[in-house]
Structures are given as structure tokens and as C-alpha cells.
Amino acid sequence: MTDTKHADLIVIGAGPGGYAAAFRAADLGRSVILVDGRSTLGGVCLNEGCIPSKALLHAARVIHEAAHIGTWGVALGKPKVDLDALRQRKDAIVSQLTGGLAQLARRRKVELVSGRAALAGGDELAITDANGDIRRWTFGQAIIATGSSPVQLPGWPTDSRIWDSTAALELRSLPRPLAIVGGGIIGLEMATIYSALGSAVTVIELADQVAPGAEPEAAALVRAALEARNCVVHTGTRVTGIKAGSKSVALACEGGFTGTVEADAVIQAVGRRASASAIAAEKAGIEIRSDGTIPVDARCRTSRPNIFAVGDITGGPMLAHRATHQGKVAAEVACGHAAAFDTTFIPSVAYTDPELAWVGPTTAQLKVAGVAHKVARFPWAASGRNLASGGGDGLTMIAYAPENGRVLGVTIVGTGAGELLAEAGLALEMGATLTDLALTVHAHPTLSETVAFAAERALGTLTDL
Ligand code: NAD
């Protein structure tokens, strides 16, 4: 144990929530300590989540396009996958970005401390470094941004062939039969990557549709695209047992599919869980929910006025962009500014092929809330740009209020849907109506036109269908 040090403001966790909080507070003139157990900044998102998966998903998309272009008169031949080269490119992108973050931290004079932090009562932390040495810190204010980790299904054995998303992104091998348990965002993205690289993928999903939180008709298009690439998708199916044999891993399934799925490897993608007890939040007297998350108010304050929490540790949706926005709010409030976080319109994107993106309540959520609504749809089969670019099925859906046409929620499924969704987010934030979308001149031919076309269709002014 070494001498106790003091931090004016300490941020625990250097993922998108934590580093955004630390950098914003430093920009507002605070002296900031940023602690993380990893040797690089960026948390799960940058090191083993959002960014590396996008590097692989882009490769998957190119493989898919290369296969199609043969039918348009340009033969490129069968792609040869070099796993080592793919992995190196992915790792190089991650290194470039983590190195960039370290530079940004230096420029702001944010002091980085490497080690695992745990609250030690009152306004005190114990940080254990890689050598096991513990240093105590007292703090004026703290921001907890410790994220979440993958859920492990109970009773599953430890076996090198059973992967979580981190292991799956390491590209250890290309299992021929690959089973993915969970058809949520991670499961679908992994199915997109591994099926393009050559694995025979089976997805097993408990709910009646893949991407259970999304509009069913949009999720169905993603499922159909995976099936067209020879992925097998079982919905309404529970894995009731697992046996790691010498030759394969066998999953016993019941429900929509009853039988056994044998695979060379299995990816578990059944959600993520936050754990406030992992940093002993209870020792500081912070209120913790039964699911391990920390409740915060709109200013990201925990039940202790000088301790804030942001990102996955505060509950869902567990998304990097939510964490970043909360991080900035926490930093601003900690610095005495008036700021608050509004969770109403947080976009969700599955970077599958086609991408599935939505913002605002879905029609199912509007129904539950008893909100009167109608839905405007524009099928991408009628989009010249989509056809010319070889895009597959797609759909733009706008839920709107029947009385005044106010946009309530938008779902887009199709190539680049995640990028197109930004217009919908802005429309929701600004309280836009169908007329606002329809009268905004969208460049032709673009996929963004599908947003205006859906609005025009509902208004009866569409001439493209
Ligand atoms: P998820 O909640 O999106 O999906 C988990 C899926 O597993 C659900 O569809 C659920 O019904 C299913 N499931 C649960 N138990 C099961 C069982 N026993 N058998 C079969 N299916 C089962 O979680 P995820 O895909 O693991 O992702 C974790 C978190 O990370 C989510 O919050 C997600 O939003 C986030 N994430 C986001 C992105 C992105 O924004 N593109 C990418 C990756 C992860």
C-alpha cells in the first residue's frame, strides 16, 4: 500500500462514456484523473466491440458485393479469405484509434492511471495495478463509467470453442458449422461476418423474431437476407443443454426448432450485464438496482451527490452513443453547468447487411403506450438508387400522429440505414412533421429520398410509386 493521493475529479472507466466525461471536464478547466484496467483507452467499444466489428462487417459487405458483381458482368473470382491479414487490419485500426485517444488525453492534461478501481467507502477509491499494488485515492467528485460484460448462460462449461463477442472478434478460426445463441444485435452482426467469411452459421433465438426490439417487418428482412446466405435461423427456440464433446459442441434446442445443433464453435450473444458490485459501489452507499445497474437522474447523479454514473452501468439501452452523451452531461453538471440527458430518442443500429436502424418508439411500443399512430412506408424496390447500387430489399417506415402528421418514430432497413437514420433523429428532436420531411428537398438519386418518399406517400403527394 502506498500513500493516499487526492483527485479533484476522478473518472472510472475509459470507454466512450468515461473518456467523453474526462475530456469534457478537462475542457471545462478541471484537473481530471481517468482510471482504467486496460492499457489502452476506448473501453469495449473501441478495443473489442463497435470498431473492430465494423472493420470485419465492412469486409463481409465487400465479399457479398464481389459475389454479386459477377452477375452484372464483372467477374472478380471467388474471394480468398486471409484471416491473419483481416485480423491485422482490424487490430491496426483499433491501435490507431486508441493511440489517438491517448494523444487527446495528453493534450488535455488528463492524468491516466492504469488499474482496477473499487470504491472503498465515503469518497475513497482503491486502485489495484497490474502488479497487484494498491493505491488509495480520495476524491472530490467521481464519475463511474465501468460499462458491462457479456452475460454467460448458467451451467455452460468453460471451453475454448465457446466464445463471447470479444473472442468472436479475435477471428481465431473459421468454424465451418458455427452456432450463435442469441439473435440480437451482436448475434446478427456475427452471423453477417462469419457467414461471409465462409462459416455455415445457425442462429438460435429465444424470441419469435430476430432483433426482438425492432419492427417485426424490418427484422424479417434482415433474417431473409441471412437465410439467402445460407444461414439457418431458428426463432422461438430455447437452448436447453450444451455438451462440449471431443469433436463438436452440441446444443440441445426446444421450441421453434427441437433437436440438436452441432457446431465447431458457439458464440454466446445473449445480452450484456452491468455490475455495480464489481466496483463495490455499495461501499460508497450508492443505491444499486437488483440487476446490478446504478440508477441516475437526468443529470447523471447517483444517490450520492458527488458521484455520477454514465453508460451501461446505468442500464439500457447499452449503446456507446448514449454513454458519450451521458458522459458529457455528467462532466458539465460536475462543473456546475446546467445540463440534462433526455433518453427519448436514442438511435439503435444493427450493422447487418442490410442494416437495421430505428429511432423513437416502435409501433409495438406506441401501441403499449396507447399513442394513436399511422405508419407511412416506402419500399426500397421502388428506389432507383437502391436498384442501381445492387442493394437488396429495404424499407423506410415512419410512424406519425394522425392528427397533425408529427413524426413519432422511424425504422429504416437497407444499405446504409444507420447513416440515413440521422435525418430521422433530427426530425424527432425538432418535432418535425411529415410535411417537413416531404418538403425538404432530398438529392436525387439517393437512398435518403426514401425518407421523403415515405412522408409523401402518407400525404398523398408521392409520384414515385
Ligand atoms: P441483445 O439484447 O441485443 O440480444 C440478445 C438476444 O439473445 C435477444 O434477442 C434475446 O432474446 C436472446 N436470448 C437471450 N437468452 C437466450 C437464450 N437462452 N437462448 C437464445 N436466445 C437468447 O444483446 P446482444 O446482442 O448480446 O448485445 C449486447 C448489448 O450490446 C446490447 O445492449 C446491444 O444493444 C449492444 N450492442 C450494440 C451494438 C450496436 O449498436 N450495433 C452492437 C453490439 C452490441
Side-chain angles (χ1 to χ4, degrees):
M1 188 86 70
T2 43
D3 294 345
T4 299
K5 293 186 81 173
H6 181 75
D8 170 31
L9 171 62
I10 195 158
V11 180
I12 311 162
Y19 79 71
F23 291 5
R24 182 76 185 113
D27 288 347
L28 289 170
R30 296 290 291 273
S31 148
V32 182
I33 308 290
L34 177 57
V35 195
D36 200 290
R38 290 173 202 271
S39 56
T40 53
L41 303 183
V44 170
C45 169
L46 184 40
N47 290 280
E48 57 198 45
C50 321
I51 299 298
S53 63
K54 262 61 296 158
L56 301 181
L57 282 159
H58 187 73
R61 167 126 198 99
V62 173
I63 291 171
H64 183 63
E65 289 196 330
H68 266 71
I69 207 166
T71 62
W72 307 338
V74 183
L76 295 179
K78 192 170 155 41
K80 261 198 227 150
V81 174
D82 178 344
L83 271 196
D84 292 334
L86 263 182
R87 192 184 311 108
Q88 276 160 22
R89 171 176 179 269
K90 164 186 74 81
D91 293 345
I93 293 164
V94 171
S95 297
Q96 185 182 341
L97 290 168
T98 54
L101 277 184
Q103 251 178 28
L104 295 180
R106 268 196 300 279
R107 206 178 292 162
R108 289 178 162 85
K109 301 193 169 43
V110 168
E111 185 185 337
L112 304 179
V113 173
S114 180
R116 299 213 58 88
L119 285 150
D123 300 331
E124 226 178 286
L125 271 177
I127 300 179
T128 310
D129 69 17
N131 301 321
D133 293 332
I134 299 173
R135 162 154 268 165
R136 284 194 174 267
W137 286 78
T138 53
F139 57 81
Q141 289 173 310
I143 300 176
I144 302 171
T146 47
S148 61
S149 46
V151 168
Q152 306 288 336
L153 285 167
W156 278 43
T158 305
D159 188 292
S160 61
R161 295 164 297 176
I162 300 174
W163 301 344
D164 59 16
S165 54
T166 305
L169 288 172
E170 285 168 6
L171 280 189
R172 294 175 183 176
S173 63
L174 271 188
R176 266 300 300 162
L178 168 69
I180 300 178
V181 181
I185 300 217
I186 292 181
L188 294 175
E189 291 185 356
M190 293 302 162
T192 305
I193 293 169
Y194 275 93
S195 63
L197 297 180
S199 292
V201 176
T202 300
V203 177
I204 305 159
E205 164 57 45
L206 192 59
D208 288 336
Q209 67 170 63
V210 295
E215 292 289 351
E217 58 194 289
L221 292 185
V222 175
R223 176 183 182 152
L226 283 172
E227 287 172 337
R229 293 169 197 191
N230 299 321
C231 286
V232 175
V233 181
H234 299 307
T235 45
T237 302
R238 178 184 294 278
V239 174
T240 53
I242 179 165
K243 211 167 148 195
S246 57
K247 293 219 170 83
S248 66
V249 182
L251 298 170
C253 300
E254 264 176 35
F257 168 76
T258 298
T260 305
V261 173
E262 302 244 1
D264 290 347
V266 178
I267 298 176
Q268 262 196 100
V270 293
R272 296 183 65 87
R273 186 172 291 144
S275 168
S277 57
I279 47 151
E282 65 281 356
K283 287 207 179 147
I286 295 172
E287 186 189 339
I288 302 173
R289 295 191 190 98
S290 58
D291 65 359
T293 59
I294 297 175
V296 289
D297 64 12
R299 292 176 170 73
C300 299
R301 290 179 300 205
T302 68
S303 56
R304 276 187 70 100
N306 64 331
I307 303 183
F308 300 77
V310 302
D312 292 6
I313 191 73
T314 66
M318 294 187 177
L319 297 168
H321 40 278
R322 171 174 172 269
T324 305
H325 277 260
Q326 281 186 314
K328 289 183 182 169
V329 166
E332 287 166 12
V333 174
C335 295
H337 292 248
F341 181 68
D342 175 1
T343 57
T344 319
F345 302 126
I346 299 176
S348 291
V349 182
Y351 297 89
T352 42
D353 189 7
E355 288 182 356
L356 171 57
W358 69 101
V359 60
T362 59
T363 50
Q365 288 167 332
L366 290 170
K367 260 182 224 138
V368 169
V371 178
H373 61 279
K374 284 186 161 182
V375 181
R377 285 181 181 76
F378 185 82
W380 285 28
S383 157
R385 180 61 192 271
N386 186 48
L387 291 180
S389 316
D393 278 343
L395 178 68
T396 297
M397 283 176 74
I398 305 175
Y400 62 95
E403 70 277 13
N404 55 14
R406 185 163 171 162
V407 178
L408 300 173
V410 176
T411 291
I412 307 178
V413 58
T415 307
E419 302 291 341
L420 302 184
L421 196 69
E423 178 181 9
L426 186 62
L428 286 163
E429 287 290 350
M430 304 297 287
T433 63
L434 292 177
T435 307
D436 294 320
L437 292 178
L439 295 185
T440 298
V441 180
H442 290 69
H444 176 76
T446 57
L447 296 172
S448 67
E449 279 176 309
T450 65
V451 175
F453 289 161
E456 286 184 356
R457 195 170 181 206
L459 293 168
T461 57
L462 181 66
T463 50
D464 281 70
L465 203 65

